[in-house]
């Protein structure tokens, strides 16, 4: 379907997917950084903790946040191209995908907030909990890919 985008549709879709990969890479990396940061704090290795704070800031500003913004912009353009905002039928899968992307964006925001807590020396979770939270992006991307490819409804 080309809709409003015409011949640019495939290029926009390709760019969207490329930035999804960048965003997901960051979403897989930052939780690990948080685990290492928290372990350094717990062990009293303050210089190492400061390095993790710096690394977390870089991954957020260079990869995570810019990629998420591009994913959202291109994703909304693609959704409009499919007719999501004009009431096109058969897009239940897209609505559910959008819900998962909203939740993933919330997870992104939570991680940024937790990184700031760690930078202030105020961890509130255990390392095991952080490791379990590291699985959230994998679960979300699995569900999103199935919805996009299979379009079950």
């Amino acid at each position: 379907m080309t809709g409003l985008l015409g011949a640019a549709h495939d290029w926009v879709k390709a760019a969207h997917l490329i930035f999804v990969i960048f965003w997901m890479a960051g979403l897989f990396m930052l939780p690990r950084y948080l685990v290492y940061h928290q372990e350094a704090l717990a062990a009293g290795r303050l210089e190492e903790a400061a390095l993790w704070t710096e690394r977390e800031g870089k991954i957020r500003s260079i990869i995570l946040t810019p990629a998420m913004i591009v994913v959202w912009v291109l994703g909304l353009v693609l959704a409009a191209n499919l007719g999501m905002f004009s009431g096109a039928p058969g897009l239940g899968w897209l609505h559910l995908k959008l819900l998962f992307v909203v939740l993933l964006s919330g997870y992104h925001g939570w991680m940024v907030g937790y990184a700031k807590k760690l930078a202030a020396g105020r961890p509130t979770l255990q390392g095991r909990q952080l490791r379990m939270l590291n699985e959230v992006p994998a679960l979300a991307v699995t569900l999103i890919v199935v919805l996009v490819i299979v379009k079950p409804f």
Side-chain angles (χ1 to χ4, degrees):
M1 172 177 265
T2 54
L4 304 169
L5 292 174
H9 177 264
D10 287 344
W11 288 103
V12 173
K13 191 189 310 186
H16 177 69
L17 184 55
I18 289 165
F19 281 91
V20 165
I21 292 168
F22 294 160
W23 187 31
M24 292 308 300
L27 289 175
F28 286 131
M29 287 176 65
L30 186 56
R32 295 304 309 161
Y33 283 16
L34 298 177
V35 168
Y36 300 144
H37 186 168
Q38 185 159 304
E39 288 173 351
L41 280 175
R45 298 187 308 265
L46 300 182
E47 287 183 28
E48 181 183 341
L51 287 174
W52 285 112
T53 298
E54 183 181 337
R55 291 173 184 141
E56 290 157 8
K58 284 180 180 178
I59 196 172
R60 283 193 322 262
S61 64
I62 296 171
I63 297 174
L64 267 173
T65 301
M68 181 184 69
I69 291 167
V70 173
V71 164
W72 268 102
V73 169
L74 295 178
L76 290 172
V77 168
L78 289 167
N81 192 56
L82 288 174
M84 180 175 171
F85 305 113
S86 60
L91 296 177
W93 64 271
L94 184 56
H95 290 92
L96 188 55
K97 174 197 171 189
L98 187 59
L99 172 65
F100 287 130
V101 175
V102 166
L103 294 172
L104 202 54
S105 298
Y107 173 79
H108 173 138
W110 174 83
M111 282 195 316
V112 168
Y114 195 73
K116 290 177 181 179
K117 279 185 184 180
L118 288 179
R122 297 186 329 249
T124 57
L125 297 173
Q126 301 296 320
R128 178 169 158 64
Q129 292 170 310
L130 280 175
R131 284 181 176 83
M132 289 177 65
L133 286 169
N134 194 26
E135 302 307 319
V136 168
L139 178 61
V141 78
T142 300
L143 294 170
I144 289 168
V145 167
V146 168
L147 286 169
V148 171
I149 301 300
V150 178
K151 296 180 177 82
F153 48 89

